[in-house]
Amino acid sequence: MSRQTVNPTRMELSRLSKQLTTAKRGHKLLKDKQDELMRQFIELIKQNNLLRKEVETQLHRAMKAFRLANATINEKYIEEMFILPATEVSLDVSTKNIMSVEVPVMQFDYDDVVMQAPIEYGFVNSNVPLDLAMGRFTDVLPKLLSLTEIEKTCQLLADEIERTRRRVNALEYLTIPELEETIYGIKMRLEENERANVTRMIKVKNKTK
């Protein structure tokens, strides 16, 4: 293990000892942070998997109804049905802090009437499968938004976990061992100097007798 090149003095020994104490404290804090990030990340992954299955099932049902509608209604009629302006739905994106990581919080902003009559379109050439498809697509929108929020949060947490892991490893395998090795070397050098001084004092004392 490499050591720092420093003067073997008690002042340097004191300075490096303080650095070592700080490094060990920082390592513990970062390790605790890493463990908590991992705990929350695993919990979010579980939520993500459950929600994704639910969303995929609902989207499959909606697409099935839409394919049936597309097969029974002329395509140009379907296009004409959606010429009318759709209901405006705004998206509010804010953030929250998870272990110093800013993650998104997404929320739809729409009137209750949107869920009751989700999408405006002409009903003259409509049929039951198309109505079902539109209703199912609208029902799944909030869950799609939640899924997007969770997956983005997982991505941000994963990046922070990797950064924290690198810092933990740098302290654990490089900084702390290097400081310990340097401190050990200084102590050995100081003890050697002290023994040499004692030996010289004994020799001087013997000569003065």
Side-chain angles (χ1 to χ4, degrees):
M1 178 61 64
S2 62
R3 66 175 68 174
Q4 299 179 17
T5 302
V6 296
N7 293 325
T9 63
R10 296 194 179 280
M11 185 177 295
E12 281 296 323
L13 179 62
S14 176
R15 182 181 67 83
L16 292 175
S17 295
K18 291 178 181 178
Q19 282 189 12
L20 179 59
T21 300
T22 302
K24 287 182 175 180
R25 186 181 299 118
H27 175 269
K28 183 181 184 306
L29 291 173
L30 285 172
K31 193 69 171 62
D32 290 343
K33 176 183 178 180
Q34 182 183 18
D35 292 342
E36 178 60 20
L37 283 170
M38 281 299 302
R39 186 191 68 78
Q40 297 201 33
F41 178 76
I42 292 171
E43 184 63 31
L44 283 171
I45 287 295
K46 291 178 182 178
Q47 294 179 28
N48 181 79
N49 291 339
L50 292 173
L51 187 56
R52 174 170 283 278
K53 289 179 181 178
E54 188 176 348
V55 166
E56 288 177 349
T57 299
Q58 289 188 247
L59 284 175
H60 177 74
R61 292 175 64 238
M63 286 301 300
K64 185 177 180 180
F66 187 78
R67 285 196 300 268
L68 181 58
N70 194 43
T72 54
I73 302 178
N74 190 297
E75 185 174 343
K76 69 175 182 178
Y77 289 153
I78 294 179
E79 292 178 0
E80 290 174 357
M81 291 176 195
F82 296 98
I83 290 177
L84 294 175
T87 303
E88 289 188 2
V89 178
S90 61
L91 176 63
D92 179 37
V93 181
S94 57
T95 60
K96 66 179 180 180
N97 189 291
I98 299 180
M99 301 297 292
S100 76
V101 182
E102 293 293 325
V103 301
V105 178
M106 303 178 185
Q107 186 173 4
F108 271 135
D109 183 16
Y110 49 68
D111 296 329
D112 293 338
V113 70
V114 175
M115 298 307 293
Q116 298 170 6
I119 300 178
E120 292 185 10
Y121 61 91
F123 291 95
V124 177
N125 295 309
S126 178
N127 61 9
V128 173
L130 184 60
D131 296 341
L132 283 174
M134 293 304 99
R136 289 170 180 174
F137 278 126
T138 302
D139 289 341
V140 81
L141 281 177
K143 293 178 182 178
L144 271 173
L145 187 66
S146 295
L147 185 62
T148 301
E149 179 184 313
I150 290 175
E151 290 192 344
K152 184 60 178 179
T153 299
C154 287
Q155 177 190 338
L156 293 171
L157 289 183
D159 292 342
E160 184 65 20
I161 288 170
E162 178 59 23
R163 284 192 292 270
T164 304
R165 184 190 65 81
R166 288 197 297 266
R167 293 171 67 189
V168 168
N169 287 345
L171 286 169
E172 184 173 347
Y173 298 110
L174 293 175
T175 304
I176 292 176
E178 182 181 89
L179 285 170
E180 289 176 338
E181 184 71 16
T182 304
I183 288 172
Y184 176 79
I186 292 176
K187 287 180 177 179
M188 291 299 99
R189 188 67 179 273
L190 289 174
E191 289 178 4
E192 182 181 338
N193 291 341
E194 189 173 339
R195 286 194 297 269
N197 287 335
V198 171
T199 301
R200 281 196 298 270
M201 290 178 63
I202 292 174
K203 288 181 178 179
V204 170
K205 185 177 181 180
N206 290 334
K207 286 181 180 179
T208 56
K209 287 183 178 179

